[in-house]
Amino acid sequence: IAGITQAPTSQILAAGRRMTLRCTQDMRHNAMYWYRQDLGLGLRLIHYSNTAGTTGKGEVPDGYSVSRANTDDFPLTLASAVPSQTSVYFCASSVLAGNEQFFGPGTRLTVL
Amino acid sequence: EDKVVQSPLSLVVHEGDTVTLNCSYEVTNFRSLLWYKQEKKAPTFLFMLTSSGIEKKSGRLSSILDKKELFSILNITATQTGDSAVYLCAVRPTGNQFYFGTGTSLTVIP
């Protein structure tokens, strides 16, 4: 692994289903983030984690949850997907909270 | 409410032209402003600016911040087709969150 990886690359999901987007980094960065990117709205922060064991809500947290059990992994869960959660999801990390962020390749999620 | 506005929304230029992209912001207790380049997939970091009037430069790209007028510009000289991308501006107020603008889409025609 080099940098940040995300899985899956893309997914089509039926509304109401549960889905976990995976994010792993091997840079030993303390802070990690989840964004969604929608046309005309730019990147919006969903949840963040300043360090392993802590999480916080971003700009658009409703319908999403995260956990940070260790430094490397930061999964994002949609408990019951809705069509408005159709988006491209980016995971990012930074050495410390507030430093420049390095982004993963993204997951394209379609909820029907 | 914290806000980041980028202009223009899109731009089409010919190779060799110089372009200036704008980012204005309204945030509480400004800490830093970042520029990213986004091609097909993930945004890649270009610059972080924290002080007014100090130019950051990398090759043909440069950027400067004006904290009094609350804006930053990103200049690209002698543009190449490889510069075609969406350029994103992000601002960090107090706290650890960044607020992103919607980006400027740059197309460089050969």
Side-chain angles (χ1 to χ4, degrees):
Chain A
I1 296 177
I4 303 181
T5 58
Q6 292 184 236
T9 302
S10 66
Q11 181 78 44
I12 299 174
L13 191 65
R17 297 297 296 267
R18 181 184 179 89
M19 176 73 193
T20 295
L21 308 185
R22 298 184 299 278
C23 174
T24 299
Q25 53 101 0
D26 66 354
M27 299 178 285
R28 307 303 294 170
H29 283 179
N30 285 290
M32 297 186 75
Y33 313 83
W34 274 105
Y35 291 90
R36 59 179 290 174
Q37 188 173 37
D38 303 288
L39 203 62
L41 294 175
L43 282 159
R44 292 180 293 166
L45 184 66
I46 305 171
H47 285 287
Y48 64 93
S49 169
N50 289 338
T51 188
T54 70
T55 62
K57 293 182 180 179
E59 208 179 338
V60 288
D62 294 343
Y64 306 95
S65 63
V66 292
S67 62
R68 186 90 185 278
N70 58 60
T71 298
D72 298 346
D73 301 299
F74 191 42
L76 176 75
T77 297
L78 289 67
S80 179
V82 295
S84 61
Q85 291 178 311
T86 294
S87 187
V88 179
Y89 291 85
F90 287 101
C91 179
S93 70
S94 60
V95 173
L96 294 172
N99 287 82
E100 63 267 29
Q101 297 171 7
F102 297 87
F103 285 80
T107 293
R108 182 174 293 277
L109 181 68
T110 302
V111 182
L112 301 175
Chain B
E1 182 182 304
D2 297 323
K3 189 165 65 172
V4 179
V5 178
Q6 292 185 246
S7 63
L9 206 59
S10 64
L11 198 53
V12 180
V13 300
H14 288 96
E15 265 192 323
D17 288 350
T18 293
V19 297
T20 298
L21 310 183
N22 302 286
C23 176
S24 63
Y25 61 89
E26 293 176 28
V27 297
T28 308
N29 297 323
F30 172 90
R31 298 284 293 275
S32 61
L33 184 146
L34 282 73
W35 284 98
Y36 287 86
K37 177 183 182 182
Q38 185 174 25
E39 294 174 89
K40 295 294 183 193
K41 290 208 169 184
T44 53
F45 172 75
L46 295 174
F47 299 113
M48 176 185 275
L49 302 154
T50 56
S51 302
S52 270
I54 298 175
E55 186 183 56
K56 291 278 182 93
K57 197 169 170 64
S58 176
R60 296 176 293 102
L61 277 66
S62 64
S63 184
I64 199 159
L65 175 67
D66 186 327
K67 287 165 73 173
K68 183 180 174 190
E69 299 298 329
L70 308 183
F71 76 93
S72 172
I73 59 172
L74 176 68
N75 279 317
I76 308 174
T77 59
T79 50
Q80 302 171 357
T81 55
D83 295 325
S84 295
V86 175
Y87 290 84
L88 300 170
C89 170
V91 174
R92 179 191 170 205
T94 299
N96 298 322
Q97 298 188 30
F98 285 90
Y99 293 90
F100 281 80
T102 54
T104 292
S105 175
L106 174 66
T107 302
V108 181
I109 300 171

